[in-house]
Amino acid sequence: MSFKHRVSALIIITGIFFANISATPADNRDRSLTVVTYNMYLGTDFTEIFSAQSFQEVVEEVAEAYGDVQSGDPAARISAIADQIEAAGPALVGLQEVALWRTGSPFDSAAATDVSYDLLQMLLDELAARGLRYRAAAIHTGFDAELPAAGPNIFADVRYTDRAVILARSDLKTSQLKVEQTGAGTFDTLLTLPLLIGNITIQRGWMSVDVKMRGKTYRFINAHTEAFHPGVQFAQAAELLQGPANTSLPVILAGDFNSDAEANGASYHLLTGAGFADTWSLAQPSNSGYTWPLFLESPSIFTAPDQRLDLILFRGGFGVSGADLLGEDLVADVTPAGLRPSDHAGVAATLVLAP
């Protein structure tokens, strides 16, 4: 072999060696991105309010619902959710049912403003207490309703505001994580319920952040689609594809989609049929990964989940190195009083950015 050929062979061998070095797990960690989706649970169920047959029944059911929120110990539940987020260490978190509960004078025409429970601020405070720095990068404010409550422990107007939120870590260098653009929107197709107290439209929506990491830009979308009407839910999933997910950027789509992935629900089928891969199916193919319901009426009375509604999907520019459930353990994940943090398990997924 000539000297020239020997040098060429050495260059090739050296190149292969360094290519293998660049593919080591340590380098993958440098390009890995962990994200979480978590439905925080608003604290009660509105079904009995919606089905009330008299105004007296309405105010009694509102009082009972607010009592459910109080007895569910939001502070302890949110602390447990913060523990889960700390353990997962995500760069981005998609949250649903980030409730804001407020009260005011009974039968007052002015909107109630006295904050009882702000789940977003409570979570940010708990994360900060753990030395974790996150900020609300995008917020969608949806359903907002106020009704009088009359019961043994309350006589006041009670106001509930539903929000979905994207949290982003705020302590990373801009080369590691930089939020470049945000967006949010309400779905055009919404469910309207004709009730005794008047028609109520359930405002649901999405929010997104365009994030640059290691020189690459991708879009993270968080959504909460309709739970009570499959047709409306399917239309909302289609709006996601036609709206925020209609981009040439790599996309991560996270949220509570209320469409059972294990049963190949219609909305799930629509999203995966549009080219989105399911992180859970890739990382845990032999594990059903059910996320709902962890309980039905009380966070102290557990049930066995049988649906996978909470999803992290992706399209383009990523691989998957792992996925896990959050808050599902019957012992380790409950509050000191034995309450589930939420009726949903959260989902964490670690994706690897394409080199």
Side-chain angles (χ1 to χ4, degrees), residues 31-35 91-92 177 213 218 252 318 349-352:
R31 293 186 291 107
S32 67
L33 170 70
T34 299
V35 298
L92 297 167
L177 188 76
M213 179 181 178
Y218 59 90
I252 303 170
F318 299 102
T350 299
L351 300 101
V352 179

Side-chain angles (χ1 to χ4, degrees), residues 173-318:
K173 297 178 181 178
T174 55
S175 63
Q176 295 175 294
L177 188 76
K178 179 183 179 182
V179 176
E180 296 185 316
Q181 184 174 322
T182 66
T186 300
F187 293 120
D188 293 331
T189 307
L190 300 169
L191 178 62
T192 297
L193 301 173
L195 309 176
L196 173 73
I197 55 179
N199 291 345
I200 290 184
T201 298
I202 309 300
Q203 302 278 339
R204 295 187 188 268
W206 57 270
M207 69 248 47
S208 67
V209 292
D210 289 356
V211 175
K212 179 175 282 188
M213 179 181 178
R214 300 300 179 191
K216 293 183 178 291
T217 301
Y218 59 90
R219 179 166 294 172
F220 180 80
I221 303 170
N222 176 40
H224 190 192
T225 57
E226 184 54 57
F228 301 110
H229 193 291
V232 171
Q233 175 198 109
F234 187 86
Q236 292 173 351
E239 288 184 41
L240 287 173
L241 295 176
Q242 296 160 6
N246 184 16
T247 175
S248 59
L249 293 174
V251 175
I252 303 170
L253 182 55
D256 173 7
F257 294 94
N258 285 304
S259 182
D260 186 6
E262 293 305 302
N264 198 27
S267 296
Y268 176 78
H269 183 73
L270 176 68
L271 296 172
T272 54
F276 279 91
D278 185 344
T279 57
W280 188 266
S281 297
L282 292 173
Q284 300 262 21
S286 61
N287 186 342
S288 59
Y290 293 137
T291 62
W292 185 87
L294 300 184
F295 61 84
L296 290 173
E297 293 186 2
S298 169
S300 64
I301 303 174
F302 306 156
T303 60
D306 58 8
Q307 297 182 51
R308 185 159 69 89
L309 308 181
D310 304 85
L311 311 171
I312 298 175
L313 312 175
F314 72 95
R315 184 179 65 199
F318 299 102

